[in-house]
Amino acid sequence: MDHFWTPWRFAYVSTADTSVRPGVPASLSAWPGDLGCVFCNLIASIDFAIANGKSSAEAEEAGGLILRGKHCFICLNAFPYTSGHVMVMPFAHLDRLAALPTEAAHELIDLAQRTEQALQRIYTPQGFNFGMNVGQAAGAGVAGHIHLHAMPRWTGDTNFMTTIGETRVLPEDLETTWKRMRAAFAELEIR
Ligand SMILES: [Zn+2]
């Protein structure tokens, strides 16, 4: 069971790129701020780029942002455990699921359902993991900002996906995943 959950501890923690602030993609580093949270930084740097002339598609691709809802968004996990490993989370910086207003909590699950449909369409997996680590003690890599991990799974995939010294076997790059996810959501008419 460790294999299912442990890798998520490392999500985003490995963004130890000293040239940019955590969560800010290199190509969006014109944003001057730092909110002290990788997810808040990600959204702020995307919004700043769009407000300053970048097309939303370009800025969102740079940040791995797949879909914006009213309260929540879907983005790529920068250190995926499997192809199609994405996250659904609120825009609001909240550290407890119970702190999420009802409307936002409902949208979170709504987006999770849509994510399942999109992942099904793209990867035809045999199953899915949907999971949330709330709090550092529970293994949250970013404990201050709740996020729901979603990923497709196949029977036996832990055999070759298992982390070996932090090195993971990944059959697909993030740019490809982003393009496929955007296309799938467009096809499902759920944007
Ligand atoms: Zn945050």
Side-chain angles (χ1 to χ4, degrees):
M1 282 304 285
D2 274 356
H3 292 313
F4 289 125
W5 301 93
T6 307
W8 299 1
R9 288 173 199 257
F10 301 106
Y12 277 97
V13 172
S14 339
T15 43
D17 184 344
T18 51
S19 64
V20 292
R21 289 135 294 158
V24 180
S27 63
L28 303 180
S29 61
W31 177 60
D34 187 357
L35 299 168
C37 167
V38 292
F39 301 136
C40 291
N41 279 354
L42 174 69
I43 291 298
S45 63
I46 290 170
D47 287 345
F48 181 86
I50 293 169
N52 286 276
K54 248 192 174 59
S55 74
S56 54
E58 195 185 346
E60 288 174 8
E61 180 169 9
L65 180 63
I66 296 163
L67 186 145
R68 282 175 200 262
K70 191 176 169 193
H71 306 282
C72 301
F73 63 96
I74 306 169
C75 67
L76 296 178
N77 187 301
F79 299 93
Y81 184 53
T82 68
S83 288
H85 181 176
V86 302
M87 299 178 295
V88 186
M89 69 185 85
F91 290 107
H93 183 84
L94 297 168
D95 65 356
R96 285 290 183 270
L97 185 58
L100 199 58
T102 305
E103 200 185 330
H106 289 178
E107 192 188 68
L108 186 88
I109 294 301
D110 175 50
L111 293 183
Q113 289 180 312
R114 295 174 181 198
T115 296
E116 183 187 329
Q117 288 179 288
L119 292 175
Q120 181 67 51
R121 175 171 284 236
I122 299 166
Y123 299 102
T124 55
Q126 294 165 310
F128 302 88
N129 284 130
F130 284 91
M132 185 179 274
N133 300 327
V134 178
Q136 208 155 29
V142 180
H145 196 139
I146 55 168
H147 50 285
L148 178 72
H149 292 268
M151 68 186 78
R153 298 303 300 261
W154 293 264
T155 304
D157 63 9
T158 48
N159 292 335
F160 69 91
M161 291 287 187
T162 300
T163 57
I164 301 165
E166 299 286 309
T167 304
R168 293 166 215 162
V169 180
L170 294 171
E172 183 176 271
D173 61 72
L174 292 171
E175 192 186 332
T176 303
T177 304
W178 184 85
K179 288 195 163 86
R180 296 180 81 186
M181 288 295 286
R182 289 279 273 218
F185 277 104
E187 283 168 24
L188 290 164
E189 298 182 315
I190 50 183
R191 286 213 67 202

